[in-house]
Amino acid sequence: MPLLVRNLILAPTQGDELLRGMFARRFSLDEREIVDFRLVRKSIDARRKPRIKFVCTVECSLLNEAAFLARHGHDPDVAVHAPPEQPAFPSLESSQRIVIVGMGPAGLFAALRLAEYGLVATIIERGRPVEERGRDVQAFWDRGVLDPESNVQFGEGGAGTFSDGKLTTRVNDPNIRYVLDKLIDFGASPEIGYLAKPHIGTDRLRLVVASIRRWLLSAGFDIRFGSRLTDLTLSGRAVEAAVVNGADELPCDALVLAPGNSARDTYEMLLRRGALLQPKPFAVGVRVEHPQELINRIQYGAGHHPALPPADYALAWNNSRTGRSAYSFCMCPGGVVVAGASEPEGVVTNGMSAYLRNSPYANSALVVTVGPDDFGDQSPLAGIGFQRRLERRAFEAGGGDYRAPAQNLLAFLGMKGGGRVSSSYRPDIREAELDRVLPTAVTEALREGVRHFDRKMRGFVTAEATLTAPETRTSAPVRIVRGENLQSVGLPGLYPAGEGAGYAGGIMSAALDGIRVADAIARSISADTRRAL
């Protein structure tokens, strides 16, 4: 059985290829005794600045593991590793018609998982293939020409395609390894399999998404772009067909709904059709942008080694008096701030990094929790109205041409010494007082939170930082309630999935939720088959 060995240390100047020899020397082994050896985790330890180190965990097999354990089994860094059981996928034959709505992480991984069982589906996506979508997004960033159906929010790959491509998640799920392996199979860097904070990068993620599409087509899936779900045909209360573009019907026995968190028209349609929807707390705020070198100095110390990756950060603060939290979200080292609107006359900010994270700027959302008490009413869609009002107010403050309102961080805090307002945001920014754009409660919490952040990261509050508003699409403002069978409460046959359904946040957790839904459909088909026998 393989061994797991922790706390092998690399300096920033040392490559991963040295680990095998380090392991052998640490335990007085001849390298020929090592049968198999691989890196399974690598993280940065920056507690002693500037003496930064990489801490590594390896999995290995030895010629004589019993003798090794007799000598070193007491070492707390050594453990016998039981590899997780590989999931079994019984081959299923079924006449069930499956439709998947949305080609973000939840929809794509629902499709990949269904394929493991030998099942196929029709996939509809309101936006365009990722290659065409990239051109549409670029036109918006360059000239302010917004396509409401093909943008940062809508199109093949989902909103995460134009992000840093982070793969971290707080959930503990045995399918995490499955997701990582699939992404590597389709072109992601193998390092996502062992880095403590894996990311793909927007440039490589677009290639991965296109590779998944080609594979699904070869496996018999029917993929239809420019196809927006506009209604449902019901038999009693059960979903019988998906209505596409207001005209065509796609009959289905199971409909996987993975629309992303910006499909506001879809939420409205579901409410009309009787799905149980609930308003859900989310977060709004701004994008803060610093020089990346400044963040590197704060996190790594002066004189840090240039071989270290661009530094990131995660900050959080809670006001015990109000119960409202402020925190950083979707931090993009070496990235840019971009326009993420999907509706006319609204401004939305987002962050994005390429694989190399080689922009001279670091950016992160700084957001504050909001909930139904902030929305103005208790209706299921009240959070959408809250988002729209904020986005339209920002559109007006930016000049009405998709420029984003921006303010120097010191000026936002009411401090002297505020410098030039500068941002990588595309298409452009316009200087404005952000307390006239953001809700008062959000402004107050951000100001308190940022001062607290500066105590954790000295230098975070600086004249070199710019705030760009608003960040509104952090997560779904609605939850499509589903039962234990993962079907919609109120619309049997409808399987809400992913971030847009209110059950995930980020690429990894959305992909995991798509897998859960696909497994539920497979279990249902398997049960039907057993009953037929």
Side-chain angles (χ1 to χ4, degrees):
M1 190 169 290
L3 302 172
L4 207 62
V5 180
R6 302 178 181 86
N7 286 322
L8 294 177
I9 306 301
L10 290 173
T13 54
Q14 294 178 304
D16 299 344
E17 71 280 358
L18 299 178
L19 287 169
R20 188 185 185 101
M22 286 182 175
F23 168 75
R25 288 191 296 276
R26 175 172 167 178
F27 295 102
S28 302
L29 292 171
D30 187 313
E31 285 194 42
R32 289 173 294 184
E33 297 179 64
I34 305 171
V35 177
D36 191 28
F37 188 91
R38 70 184 185 96
L39 178 60
V40 295
R41 187 172 178 82
K42 183 178 183 180
S43 60
I44 295 176
D45 183 347
R47 290 172 296 178
R48 297 181 63 188
K49 301 177 180 65
R51 297 175 62 184
I52 313 298
K53 59 187 179 182
F54 291 105
V55 182
C56 303
T57 299
V58 300
E59 181 185 278
C60 60
S61 298
L62 305 177
L63 286 175
N64 194 340
E65 288 175 0
F68 178 87
L69 288 172
R71 294 196 308 271
H72 304 291
H74 62 282
D75 191 318
D77 290 334
V78 174
V80 176
H81 178 51
E85 291 186 14
Q86 296 301 310
F89 302 109
S91 180
L92 301 175
E93 293 185 9
S94 173
S95 59
Q96 271 210 16
R97 298 159 299 182
I98 304 171
V99 172
I100 298 173
V101 178
M103 291 185 70
L108 288 174
F109 271 87
L112 290 171
R113 191 68 157 208
L114 288 171
E116 301 278 13
Y117 297 98
L119 301 171
V120 295
T122 297
I123 307 174
I124 63 172
E125 167 56 56
R126 69 191 298 164
R128 297 191 177 96
V130 70
E131 301 90 346
E132 297 174 31
R133 181 187 178 199
R135 292 191 288 271
D136 296 334
V137 168
Q138 196 64 49
F140 180 46
W141 292 344
D142 290 344
R143 304 188 300 278
V145 179
L146 174 65
D147 186 333
E149 299 297 334
S150 182
N151 47 63
V152 166
Q153 308 298 335
F154 299 142
E156 185 180 28
T161 305
F162 294 92
S163 72
D164 184 53
K166 288 181 182 59
L167 300 173
T168 51
T169 178
R170 289 191 293 270
V171 304
N172 184 15
D173 191 299
N175 283 311
I176 289 174
R177 184 74 248 175
Y178 175 91
V179 173
L180 293 173
D181 287 345
K182 284 292 183 186
L183 291 171
I184 293 169
D185 289 345
F186 287 111
S189 170
E191 70 184 15
I192 68 171
Y194 59 80
L195 289 180
K197 297 180 180 179
H199 86 287
I200 299 181
T202 181
D203 48 345
R204 295 199 178 184
L205 187 52
R206 298 179 209 185
L207 302 177
V208 169
V209 166
S211 181
I212 293 174
R213 178 223 310 155
R214 290 190 290 270
W215 188 90
L216 290 173
L217 288 170
S218 71
F221 284 72
D222 178 10
I223 299 177
R224 306 182 187 186
F225 293 101
S227 300
R228 180 164 60 94
L229 177 70
T230 52
D231 205 351
L232 299 171
T233 300
L234 307 180
S235 175
R237 298 305 308 157
V239 174
E240 190 174 59
V243 180
V244 179
N245 295 337
D248 300 327
E249 286 197 359
L250 279 176
C252 59
D253 303 291
L255 192 153
V256 178
L257 182 63
N261 70 35
S262 295
R264 294 165 171 175
D265 52 348
T266 303
Y267 296 137
E268 292 165 358
M269 179 272 291
L270 291 173
L271 190 62
R272 290 196 307 270
R273 283 301 181 188
L276 179 58
L277 306 183
Q278 293 176 341
K280 187 177 76 62
F282 56 103
V284 299
V286 298
R287 277 270 154 187
V288 63
E289 194 165 26
H290 293 83
Q292 180 63 55
E293 180 57 29
L294 172 64
I295 300 300
N296 291 347
R297 289 199 305 271
I298 294 172
Q299 297 295 73
Y300 294 150
H304 57 274
H305 197 279
L308 288 167
D312 64 4
Y313 58 83
L315 299 165
W317 169 82
N318 181 70
N319 186 323
S320 58
R321 176 177 51 84
T322 65
R324 207 181 287 272
S325 297
Y327 58 95
S328 62
F329 171 80
C330 187
M331 195 271 155
C332 297
V336 293
V337 181
V338 297
S342 59
E343 292 184 343
E345 300 185 356
V347 166
V348 177
T349 64
N350 193 27
M352 185 178 80
S353 299
Y355 169 72
L356 292 178
R357 291 175 164 174
N358 53 1
S359 159
Y361 303 102
N363 74 80
S364 176
L366 297 182
V367 292
V368 175
T369 52
V370 293
D373 290 343
D374 301 295
F375 299 160
D377 65 69
Q378 299 295 312
S379 68
L381 305 184
I384 294 175
F386 180 88
Q387 288 176 320
R388 277 186 173 137
R389 290 190 296 273
L390 180 50
E391 291 164 11
R392 288 173 180 172
R393 197 154 61 234
F395 181 78
E396 294 169 1
D401 55 3
Y402 295 105
R403 285 179 295 168
Q407 189 173 19
N408 183 272
L409 177 57
L410 294 188
F412 176 73
L413 295 175
M415 300 169 63
K416 293 182 179 180
R420 185 171 62 94
V421 176
S422 176
S423 174
S424 63
Y425 176 88
R426 294 176 284 172
D428 204 351
I429 58 172
R430 180 184 183 188
E431 190 167 0
E433 295 180 9
L434 296 187
D435 58 2
R436 297 187 178 184
V437 176
L438 301 170
T440 300
V442 171
T443 299
E444 292 175 351
L446 278 176
R447 285 172 171 157
E448 290 182 275
V450 166
R451 290 186 174 95
H452 173 84
F453 299 159
D454 192 61
R455 289 194 288 272
K456 292 187 67 176
M457 288 180 61
R458 291 294 183 185
F460 188 86
V461 172
T462 172
E464 296 182 87
T466 296
L467 304 180
T468 309
E471 178 88 20
T472 53
R473 309 288 181 91
T474 54
S475 65
V478 177
R479 175 167 286 117
I480 307 169
V481 182
R482 62 191 187 190
E484 291 184 3
N485 60 3
L486 302 192
Q487 297 180 49
S488 164
V489 173
L491 293 176
L494 180 73
Y495 291 82
E499 191 167 324
Y503 291 95
I507 293 172
M508 176 59 77
S509 59
L512 294 171
D513 200 58
I515 289 170
R516 281 191 286 272
V517 163
D519 285 344
I521 292 173
R523 285 194 299 271
S524 174
I525 291 173
S526 180
D528 288 344
T529 301
R530 288 195 298 271
R531 282 193 290 269
L533 295 175

